């Protein structure tokens, strides 16, 4: 298969971690006989420095012309004083909305070797944590009409969803559940919100085409409790934009390892943008100590969701699992007394374990 990938290294540790991910992708290409070509795009602070804006229309066009995008991270103190419209983070929003990415996948996985990093009690995580938050990304209250009264003393934000918007993301969630443990939990506030009742109706209708996948419902207040009481309950957690924003951060936190978690932003066709959930970590940029695993695992998601290459995706995930089991640790995941290796060496260790 030929793959055309747009690389957006971005700022801070972005270029270092993307470099390691590209080495892993190249090796997968060699082992499995795929041709991979890259085109590099400036976005975020580096684009502000070079082009005076966080994302140029040409950069967006290049991204749109690729099969998938791999992004490092954007932002840093150098650009913190920029006005809102010119901040590096605008590049992310520009890419997500410009590319029509309505569906956000954020897996939260607790690696047994790193269980000590979780803030939860050992007995709570004994059943494991391996869940996928599927968050609607381009609708709901963040995008609805908003405003203030003339005297400024009342304000509103409208939450609106169409059945079509719900149906397309529900299908993504059920398809994902089919290659996982076949269970979808719809998280909503259907006891209060009309939009949530439309979500229940629509998701139930979609579920009838997936008889092999179990569907259950949970109110969002309860879900936020269950995530820290019994995270093993969840396989695929499907939810709307604002609830997903909050719950995906909570779910990541229970794994305790920000340098380990990947994400995907998808649309109806196979195109997607893949990135670690962490930021540009300016405090450690250029020191060869950043953990590249979240970005490497983002390439596994890319192979799975944009190219349907499950075997290749698993090969990367298993190489990471084996490296962790063998004691490979960057500083952020090392316990006292454990040997710490740098970004490039961590990449080497994972490359060596790819089969
Ligand atoms: P951050 O995620 O960059 O860093 C938080 C902490 O985690 C830091 O101590 C950092 O050193 C550590 N960390 C993060 N990733 C790591 C990795 N791979 N390996 C080892 N340690 C890692 O969050 P922040 O400090 O709040 O933000 C820094 C900049 O990143 C800001 O400009 C922010 O706006 C931007 N940001 C960008 C994205 C993105 O590009 N998607 C996301 C979040 C924040």
């Amino acid at each position: 298969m030929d793959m055309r990938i747009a690389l957006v290294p971005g700022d801070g540790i972005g270029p270092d971690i993307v470099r390691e991910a590209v080495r892993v992708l190249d090796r997968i290409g060699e082992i499995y006989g795929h041709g991979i070509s890259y085109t590099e795009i400036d976005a975020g602070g580096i684009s502000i420095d070079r082009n005076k804006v966080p994302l140029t229309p040409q950069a967006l066009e290049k991204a749109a012309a690729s099969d998938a995008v791999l992004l490092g991270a954007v932002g840093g103190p150098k650009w913190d004083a920029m006005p809102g419209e010119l901040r590096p983070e605008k590049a992310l929003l520009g890419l997500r909305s410009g590319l029509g990415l309505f569906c956000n996948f954020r897996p939260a996985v607790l690696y047994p070797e790193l269980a000590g990093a979780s803030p939860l009690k050992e007995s709570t995580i004994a059943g494991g944590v391996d869940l996928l938050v599927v968050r609607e990304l381009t609708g709901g209250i963040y995008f609805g009409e908003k405003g203030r009264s003339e005297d400024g003393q009342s304000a509103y934000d409208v939450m609106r969803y169409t059945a079509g918007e719900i149906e397309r993301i529900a299908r993504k969630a059920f398809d994902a559940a089919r290659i996982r443990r076949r269970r979808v939990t719809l998280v909503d506030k259907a006891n209060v919100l009309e939009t949530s009742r439309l979500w229940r109706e629509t998701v139930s209708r979609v579920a009838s085409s997936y008889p092999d996948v179990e569907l259950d419902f949970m109110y969002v207040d309860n879900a936020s409790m269950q995530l820290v009481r019994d995270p093993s309950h969840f396989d695929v957690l499907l939810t709307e934009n604002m609830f997903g924003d909050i719950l995906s951060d909570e779910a990541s936190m229970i794994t305790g390892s920000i340098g380990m978690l990947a994400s995907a932003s998808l649309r109806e066709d196979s195109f997607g943008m893949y990135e670690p959930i962490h930021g540009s970590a300016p405090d450690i940029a250029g020191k060869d100590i950043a953990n590249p695993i979240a970005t490497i695992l983002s390439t596994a998601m890319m192979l799975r969701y944009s190219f349907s290459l499950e075997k290749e995706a698993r090969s990367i995930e298993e190489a990471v699992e084996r490296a962790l089991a063998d004691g490979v640790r960057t500083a952020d995941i090392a316990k006292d007394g454990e040997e710490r290796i740098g970004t490039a060496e961590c990449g080497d260790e994972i490359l060596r374990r790819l089969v």
Side-chain angles (χ1 to χ4, degrees), residues 13 17 71-77 80 87 89 92 96 258-259 275-284 289-292 332:
I13 60 171
I17 54 181
L71 185 138
V74 299
D80 273 354
R87 287 181 63 94
E89 293 78 2
L92 291 178
R96 286 175 191 153
I258 189 172
E275 56 184 304
I277 69 155
H278 59 71
S280 59
D283 52 332
I284 57 167
I289 52 177
N291 185 346
D332 56 311

Side-chain angles (χ1 to χ4, degrees), residues 269-337:
D269 59 11
S270 60
F271 185 89
M273 183 162 89
Y274 300 84
E275 56 184 304
I277 69 155
H278 59 71
S280 59
D283 52 332
I284 57 167
K287 296 185 178 161
D288 189 43
I289 52 177
N291 185 346
I293 295 181
T295 318
I296 290 172
L297 290 173
S298 298
T299 65
M301 292 187 83
M302 174 190 284
L303 294 173
R304 172 171 296 125
Y305 296 115
S306 281
F307 301 107
S308 297
L309 296 173
E310 180 63 25
K311 201 157 96 206
E312 287 83 339
R314 275 307 296 153
S315 165
I316 295 177
E317 289 163 349
E318 282 165 11
V320 168
E321 286 157 18
R322 275 197 294 276
L324 291 173
D326 293 344
V328 169
R329 301 282 187 275
T330 45
D332 56 311
I333 52 172
K335 284 200 282 244
D336 288 346

Side-chain angles (χ1 to χ4, degrees), residues 6 21 98 188 218 227 278 285 294 333 343:
D188 62 25
M218 198 179 276
L227 271 172
H278 59 71
I333 52 172
T343 311

Side-chain angles (χ1 to χ4, degrees), residues 192-204:
V192 180
L193 299 177
E194 198 53 42
T195 43
S196 287
R197 290 192 272 272
L198 181 64
W199 271 80
R200 281 204 183 195
E201 263 169 53
T202 311
V203 172
S204 301

Side-chain angles (χ1 to χ4, degrees), residues 44-61:
I46 191 172
S47 174
I48 296 174
D49 289 352
R50 289 180 177 163
N51 313 305
K52 301 199 163 43
V53 288
L55 185 72
T56 63
Q58 294 80 356
L60 183 60
E61 263 171 45

Side-chain angles (χ1 to χ4, degrees), residues 4 99 103 127 151 170 233 278 323 328 343:
R4 292 166 308 150
L99 298 169
C103 172
D151 66 1
H233 171 85
H278 59 71
V328 169
T343 311

